[in-house]
Amino acid sequence: MEFNLIMKKDFYEILGISKSADAAEIKKAYRKSALKYHPDKNPGDKEAEENFKLAAEAYEVLSDPQKKAKYDQYGHQAFDGSGGFGGGHGGMNMDDIFSQFGDIFGGGFGGFGGGGGGPRRAKGSNLRIKVKLTLEEIANGVEKKVKVKRKVQAKGVTYKTCSTCNGQGQVMRVTNTILGRMQSASTCPACGGSGQILDKKPSEADSQGMVQEDETVSIKIPAGVVDGMQLKVSNKGNDAPGNSIPGDLIVAIEEIEHELLKREGENIHYDLYISFPEAVLGVSKDIEAINGKVRIKLEEGIQSGKILRLKGKGIPSINGYGNGDLLVHVNVWTPKTLNKEQKQFFENALNDEHFIPSPEKSEKSFFEKVKDMFS
Ligand SMILES: [Zn+2]
C-alpha cells in the first residue's frame, strides 16, 4: 500500500507557464524542461530524473484538450485512481516518455540521446506509384485499387535484443583525442539503431527477415486533383525489420489528355465548329461536357470567336470552393470548295452590304474576351 501524502506540484508550475498558455506555449515549455532535465545531460542525478518525469506527466495532461479541461476543473484529483497518474509520480517510466513524445525529442536530441534514449522505431522506405486518371475521374473523384509490392516481415520471423547495444540502439564510443578521452554516442552498427537483430527466419526471407508481398491498396482520390500532384497513403510503403513502422505510399497523379476537352485549372475549354449556314441561321448543338452532353443554343448571326461560358460545368476546386466553367469557343467553318452555283452566290454577295463586316459596339473584341476569361 502506497500513501500519497506529498502535495503534488501544479502542472502549470512544473512547466513554468500560466493557466492561459496555449498549445504552442505548452509544447515549448515542455521542450525546454525536457532538454534541461534530460538524463543525458544529468547523468546519475536523481532529482533531474524526477523533474524530467514530472514535466512529461504535466505535458501528457496539458497537451490533451480533454485531460487539460478535467485537470483545470478538478486538479490532480481528476486522475487519482485512473491508473496513469495515481500515487507518487511513478506513473510514467522513461520508455513511455520517449515513445510518447518522440516528436518533441526528434529534432532536439539529435546530438545526444544515448543513455535514456532507447531504441528508435525505424520507419520503412516509401513506395511510389503513378495513377493515370481521365478528366471524368478527376472531375468526379474516384477510388482506385492499385497493386503494390510491399516489403513485409516474413511470417515466422523473430527478432531478439541486440547484444552489441543491449537493445539501446546506440553504443558509447570512447576515443582518445588531444583534448583527452571523449565519449560519444553513435548508432549501433550491429542493429542499425533498432535495438533488435534477426533471430529466426524462414528460408524465403532475405537477410533482414523480409519478403515481398503483393497487396491491393485502395486509394480515394478527391475531385479536382492536378497532373503531377502527389497524394500520401500512410503506412502502405515498405515495412522495416523488427519493431518498426511502415513507410508511406506516395501516389503521383497523371492526367490522361481528353480528346475534345482541354483543361485549364478548374476551367474546361471546348472548340465548337459550326458551318457558315448554321452561323447565319442559328442552331442548337450538343456539347460534350464532362458528365454527358449539354445542349446549347446559338443565336442567328453568331460570330466566329464568340465564347460561351457554361457556369459550373468545369472541374471542382480541390479545396471544395465550387466548380470551374465550361468555355465553348465558337468557330465558323469556312468551306474550301464550292460548286458553280454557290461560287456565283458568293461572288454576288461580295459587294452586298449584308456581308460587309460591321461589328457592334456591344460585341467585345478578342482582347476584352481574354481579359474577361481570366477575371
Ligand atoms: Zn544494437
Side-chain angles (χ1 to χ4, degrees):
M1 179 105 188
E2 195 185 326
F3 288 96
N4 180 24
L5 294 174
I6 304 156
M7 284 295 284
K8 226 170 172 180
K9 245 177 145 184
D10 179 77
F11 282 157
Y12 292 97
E13 221 173 285
I14 290 165
L15 295 181
I17 48 176
S18 75
K19 292 212 164 162
S20 58
D22 63 18
E25 286 172 83
I26 292 168
K27 188 169 182 172
K28 200 176 154 194
Y30 173 53
R31 217 185 129 84
K32 209 174 132 190
S33 331
L35 281 165
K36 186 173 165 194
Y37 297 120
H38 194 279
D40 282 1
K41 275 198 165 178
N42 308 277
D45 183 341
K46 281 282 158 206
E47 205 186 317
E49 195 181 313
E50 280 307 303
N51 283 328
F52 185 70
K53 287 179 177 174
L54 275 173
E57 272 186 50
Y59 181 69
E60 217 243 27
V61 170
L62 299 182
S63 62
D64 178 324
Q66 274 183 331
K67 286 184 186 170
K68 182 175 182 293
K70 235 171 140 185
Y71 178 76
D72 287 346
Q73 199 171 355
Y74 303 110
H76 289 294
Q77 270 180 316
F79 303 98
D80 278 348
S82 65
F85 298 94
H89 20 244
M92 296 185 96
N93 64 33
M94 287 301 192
D95 282 348
D96 286 340
I97 296 170
F98 285 104
S99 63
Q100 222 156 335
F101 307 127
D103 60 324
I104 289 191
F105 296 121
F109 286 81
F112 45 108
R120 291 221 177 114
R121 283 184 81 184
K123 192 174 179 185
S125 57
N126 290 343
L127 283 173
R128 285 169 188 281
I129 51 157
K130 266 186 194 170
V131 169
K132 290 187 178 191
L133 301 177
T134 65
L135 203 53
E136 286 85 354
E137 288 171 330
I138 287 173
N140 298 311
V142 67
E143 188 164 349
K144 284 272 175 188
K145 286 190 171 23
V146 294
K147 251 196 189 155
V148 289
K149 274 191 190 307
R150 297 183 60 214
K151 262 190 181 179
V152 294
Q153 288 178 25
K155 281 206 175 67
V157 72
T158 54
Y159 296 90
K160 61 185 177 190
T161 302
C162 173
S163 57
T164 307
C165 63
N166 289 319
Q168 293 303 304
Q170 283 181 318
V171 286
M172 299 304 283
R173 201 173 278 168
V174 178
T175 42
N176 290 307
T177 71
I178 51 163
L179 299 170
R181 281 158 66 85
M182 302 271 284
Q183 205 182 26
S184 62
S186 60
T187 301
C188 173
C191 64
S194 69
Q196 292 174 308
I197 53 165
L198 193 65
D199 183 22
K200 290 190 196 108
K201 71 171 187 78
S203 56
E204 71 269 19
D206 67 13
S207 63
Q208 292 185 301
M210 311 295 285
V211 285
Q212 265 203 340
E213 244 177 38
D214 281 333
E215 189 174 323
T216 304
V217 179
S218 188
I219 308 164
K220 274 208 174 106
I221 298 166
V225 291
V226 179
D227 190 274
M229 203 175 249
Q230 294 193 335
L231 306 176
K232 188 176 88 177
V233 185
S234 292
N235 301 335
K236 288 295 178 191
N238 287 322
D239 239 338
N243 176 27
S244 60
I245 44 173
D248 302 320
L249 175 64
I250 309 293
V251 182
I253 301 295
E254 216 177 288
E255 184 180 319
I256 302 167
E257 212 172 299
H258 194 282
E259 243 182 290
L260 301 168
L261 303 173
K262 289 268 170 294
R263 179 181 182 182
E264 183 200 41
E266 284 152 24
N267 290 336
I268 300 285
H269 295 270
Y270 177 82
D271 261 321
L272 174 68
Y273 288 90
I274 58 172
S275 72
F276 188 67
E278 282 172 339
V280 173
L281 302 171
V283 68
S284 282
K285 285 274 176 188
D286 284 334
I287 300 297
E288 187 89 29
I290 282 184
N291 289 317
K293 287 183 161 52
V294 178
R295 174 150 283 216
I296 59 165
K297 195 172 177 285
L298 306 178
E299 287 164 15
E300 56 182 51
I302 192 161
Q303 298 297 335
S304 194
K306 185 161 175 99
I307 298 166
L308 303 168
R309 184 187 284 261
L310 305 180
K311 281 256 177 225
K313 295 280 182 196
I315 304 280
S317 131
I318 187 131
N319 305 314
Y321 300 130
N323 274 38
D325 303 327
L326 172 61
L327 298 148
V328 179
H329 299 251
V330 176
N331 301 277
V332 176
W333 182 258
T334 310
K336 288 177 178 169
T337 55
L338 297 171
N339 65 28
K340 232 179 184 177
E341 285 166 32
Q342 290 162 342
K343 205 162 183 180
Q344 189 60 58
F345 170 80
F346 283 109
E347 272 167 2
N348 293 340
L350 266 180
N351 298 315
D352 188 319
E353 57 169 331
H354 292 102
F355 286 84
I356 296 167
S358 57
E360 288 166 28
K361 281 214 175 109
S362 65
E363 281 173 33
K364 289 178 177 171
S365 74
F366 170 74
F367 298 105
E368 281 168 329
K369 271 186 236 163
V370 170
K371 210 174 82 189
D372 211 35
M373 269 171 52
F374 292 100
S375 65

